[in-house]
Every structure is written in C-alpha cells, then in structure tokens.
Amino acid sequence: MVRITEELVRKKSEHNERLISTLEEISLHQEDIERIEHVQSWCRDLKILLLQSNLIARLENLHKLKRLEYLNLAVNNIERIENLEALESLNKLDLTLNFIGELTSVESLRGNYNLRELLLIGNPCADYPHYRDFVVATLPQLQNLDSQEIAHSERLQAQRQLGKHRAIIVQRQADQAIERDEQRVRVAEQQAALADQCADIADEEERTRAFWNAKSEHCPEIRTEIARRHRLGREKHEPQSALPQAKRQPHLFAPCGRPYNLNQAKLPFSFQDEADHYSLELQVYRHLDTALIDVDVQTNYTRVTVKAKIFQIAYSEEVLPGESTVQRSQTTGHLMIILKKLKVNEMLTIKRGTRAKGATGQESLPLRGAVDIANICPPDDLPDLI
C-alpha cells in the first residue's frame, strides 16, 4: 500500500521551495495511493489538489481544506460521493472514470454552494436513465455537468420531474448494488482460482504471463491487483544497488586547518571589508523559514547552513564572535551579518572622498589604495647590493 508521506509531499512541492505549510497547489497523481491522509493537516491552504490516476477507494480526511477550490479524483476506485460537505470553497469536482453507482449520493453536495462544475462521466451511474436530469435538479448551484453547460430551461424541466426520476434511479442503483456484490464474490473466486493455478507454475515469467492472459472484469479489485503487478515489474527491472550511495561530504578545512570558502547553495552574496568590521549580506530565499537557517560565527570564518547546504567564508583578520550581529530583512529575506574585528585596521581608516591641502596650499588628490613601491625610481647614488 502506497501512503502519502511527508517526504512525498515535500518532493511534490519543489515549486514552493519544499515548504508544505503554505502550499496552495499539489499534484499527487499516478502514485498508486490507496487512501487520502495527512494532506488536510499539513497543507491547510490548498486551493488545488490533484489525485487522479491512483487507487483511492473512499473520499475522506478532506474536511479541513476550507480554501480548496478544485479537487481532481479522476480514475480512482471511488464508489460513493461522501465527506465533502465541509469544502465550502469547492468550485470544481472531477470524479471521471470511477465506480460510483450510488447516484443519490450527489445529494450530499447540496451544501457546497460554490460548486459550479461536476464531472461524473465514465461512472456506472452515468448510464442510469434520467441521470443528467436528476443531477441538474438536485444541485441547483451547478453550471456545468460533464463538460456541458446547463441551460435554465433544462433545469426547470428537470426540477418538475425530480420526484419521478429519483424513484427510478433509486431502483436502478439498488439493482446495481446487487450486481456489485455478486461481482465481488465472483472476482474473489476468480483470483483464488488464478492463485492456485500460478502456484503450480515454477517459472516466475510463466506465472506473470498466466496472470496477464487471464480474463478479468473492470472493478476496483482488479485495478488494484494490476497496479500491484505493475509495481512489482518496475521494481524487478530497476537496477538494484547493494547499498545506497552516501552523499559526498564537503571538505570544510584544509589539512593545515585553514577554512575553505564554500557555497553549496549557490546563494548570491556580498562581502565588504571595513576598518573595524566585516559585513556579509547573504541573499537567502525570501519565503524560507528562518528555522531552516543556522549561523555559526568563528574568529576566522563564518558558516551559514541553509536547508542542510553550507555557505562558508574565511577572512584574514580575527573577529569577535560575541560582538557580531546577525539580522534578517523582513522585506527581502536577506541575511545581514556584521562581524566586529578584534583589531581596527588603520590602513582603512582614511575616509574616502576627503581632500587634504599640500605645502603649496592647493588641494591634493585623495589617496586611492596602497602605494606601488615597485615603480619607485632609486636615486642615482644608491650603491649596488652586495
């Protein structure tokens, strides 16, 4: 049984930087999921939930999704519409190609006042006589049924015949329920006979061929078994490794103990060297939770861990970790780190842009950087070095 796990949800939420608490849309289709769980507790702000092409047998655990507007459960094993009354923002519901036979269960959607579009095509109930008239009359808020717009005259006519049509549908769905019970028993017997037949076959490929050659009915049990066989086939042909490869650990220090500069997360940054401090601005993701950021200030390097990825920068002068400050902008999300130096660098104390007067009384140009002593001409009487 494939379950909805936190790892799966985070994997499908990469468009939201793997944050699930603020997620508004998620696609969990074609995962062989058999039960809806956890989503309503982890992602309460969801507006779009895509669960098509799975093995879900029941509508459940969705009542906390008050903002959900679009729910897609096409191609699943659902047999009844239920537990959707609390979805007050639901606008579109797709239940195409399921096994819904209890058509009167659409009456549970009367309280979903924002529901405008419903798709039930491909279900057994869609073949009932007066199916469309019954749904149109039962759900007056609907504007579109099975991708066909509902006309006002059609609704008025359907409402006049609602009582008569409902009686016919109740009888038809009772007959279908009996047929479904008989089908369950019949399919269980067929699966037991097939299991006995495969037990006498020693070759695994022959057993698999016997399963695929056997006749089967279109029902939830067979869909689940086919999905299980497909999953086993994929696992068999996938390359198997004895042990999972360990992630390469980055080298943070040289053999002599000197810290390396490292930027695993590839974050843009700026680093300024001032007279009495260093300033480091790290452009972390704007919507990233601050709890996922860890800052470690040492005397000769600073390490910032962002979602388990390391940013490390070394500096030439020692700093005072206890007097350094770390702040994060509420508008941009950038991280600003001020590293107080142990000793003030006197070479950087000259203020840029100031002008000093020389001996002639004229203003001299401001100093710009260090003097290049390699270009100073020696005096003529300087003796040669011995």
Side-chain angles (χ1 to χ4, degrees), residues 255-382:
C256 62
R258 177 178 58 84
Y260 285 133
N261 291 327
L262 185 67
N263 190 358
Q264 276 188 319
K266 299 181 180 179
L267 298 172
F269 70 96
S270 63
F271 187 72
Q272 301 293 332
D273 185 2
E274 303 295 342
D276 59 343
H277 70 276
Y278 292 110
S279 61
L280 171 63
E281 182 180 4
L282 193 60
Q283 300 180 22
V284 298
Y285 313 118
R286 179 179 180 180
H287 300 288
L288 181 67
D289 191 349
T290 307
L292 299 176
I293 304 174
D294 181 68
V295 181
D296 182 17
V297 178
Q298 299 294 332
T299 55
N300 60 339
Y301 71 91
T302 293
R303 182 185 304 158
V304 181
T305 305
V306 181
K307 293 171 60 177
K309 294 185 177 180
I310 297 175
F311 173 91
Q312 182 171 288
I313 189 167
Y315 23 84
S316 57
E317 301 179 56
E318 292 187 1
V319 301
L320 299 170
E323 298 184 14
S324 301
T325 60
V326 180
Q327 295 178 327
R328 191 177 183 194
S329 172
Q330 295 183 352
T331 55
T332 64
H334 294 180
L335 203 65
M336 177 60 70
I337 304 175
I338 304 298
L339 305 165
K340 190 74 174 180
K341 290 184 178 180
L342 178 63
K343 296 180 180 180
V344 177
N345 191 337
E346 297 181 356
M347 295 295 295
L348 299 176
T349 55
I350 301 176
K351 296 182 179 179
R352 296 178 180 270
T354 59
R355 295 177 179 270
K357 291 187 177 181
T360 58
Q362 297 179 353
E363 290 186 349
S364 60
L365 294 175
L367 296 178
R368 297 182 179 274
V371 178
D372 187 2
I373 61 175
N375 295 326
I376 298 178
C377 297
D380 297 335
D381 58 346
L382 183 68

Side-chain angles (χ1 to χ4, degrees), residues 106-298:
V106 300
E107 295 173 349
S108 64
L109 299 174
R110 284 174 173 169
N112 300 89
Y113 299 111
N114 292 309
L115 185 62
R116 297 293 180 266
E117 188 172 355
L118 176 64
L119 291 99
L120 291 172
I121 192 169
N123 287 274
C125 64
D127 296 328
Y128 294 173
H130 312 297
Y131 147 76
R132 182 176 176 85
D133 290 340
F134 174 76
V135 176
V136 169
T138 302
L139 302 176
Q141 72 272 32
L142 273 188
Q143 296 178 354
N144 194 298
L145 176 62
D146 295 335
S147 301
Q148 294 183 9
E149 189 175 354
I150 301 172
H152 182 65
S153 58
E154 179 186 9
R155 190 186 306 279
L156 292 176
Q157 184 176 358
Q159 288 175 343
R160 285 196 293 267
Q161 302 290 330
L162 178 59
K164 178 182 177 181
H165 292 165
R166 191 180 190 281
I168 296 174
I169 286 172
V170 168
Q171 182 60 45
R172 181 64 187 89
Q173 72 183 18
D175 297 339
Q176 197 275 337
I178 296 173
E179 294 174 3
R180 177 72 180 106
D181 291 338
E182 293 174 350
Q183 185 185 53
R184 288 193 184 95
V185 175
R186 188 168 58 251
V187 169
E189 293 175 351
Q190 292 174 356
Q191 288 182 322
L194 182 60
D196 294 339
Q197 177 186 349
C198 293
D200 298 333
I201 303 175
D203 186 38
E204 184 178 352
E205 292 186 0
E206 289 293 331
R207 289 198 301 267
T208 303
R209 191 177 296 110
F211 171 80
W212 293 113
N213 290 335
K215 293 183 179 180
S216 60
E217 301 187 37
H218 181 58
C219 63
E221 294 80 11
I222 296 298
R223 281 198 73 241
T224 302
E225 180 62 19
I226 290 175
R228 188 182 72 86
R229 293 277 181 168
H230 277 303
R231 187 163 59 250
L232 291 175
R234 289 195 300 268
E235 293 174 357
K236 178 181 177 181
H237 291 90
E238 286 178 355
Q240 297 181 356
S241 56
L243 292 174
Q245 295 183 354
K247 292 184 178 180
R248 180 182 175 185
Q249 296 296 329
H251 295 287
L252 302 179
F253 299 95
C256 62
R258 177 178 58 84
Y260 285 133
N261 291 327
L262 185 67
N263 190 358
Q264 276 188 319
K266 299 181 180 179
L267 298 172
F269 70 96
S270 63
F271 187 72
Q272 301 293 332
D273 185 2
E274 303 295 342
D276 59 343
H277 70 276
Y278 292 110
S279 61
L280 171 63
E281 182 180 4
L282 193 60
Q283 300 180 22
V284 298
Y285 313 118
R286 179 179 180 180
H287 300 288
L288 181 67
D289 191 349
T290 307
L292 299 176
I293 304 174
D294 181 68
V295 181
D296 182 17
V297 178
Q298 299 294 332

Side-chain angles (χ1 to χ4, degrees), residues 13 15-16 19-26 43-49 67-70:
S13 59
H15 60 284
N16 197 45
L19 296 178
I20 61 177
S21 60
T22 59
L23 204 60
E24 294 187 354
E25 177 180 352
I26 189 169
C43 315
R44 293 204 176 189
D45 293 335
L46 274 182
K47 294 183 179 180
I48 299 176
L49 177 56
R67 300 182 180 180
L68 190 65
E69 298 177 2
Y70 176 31

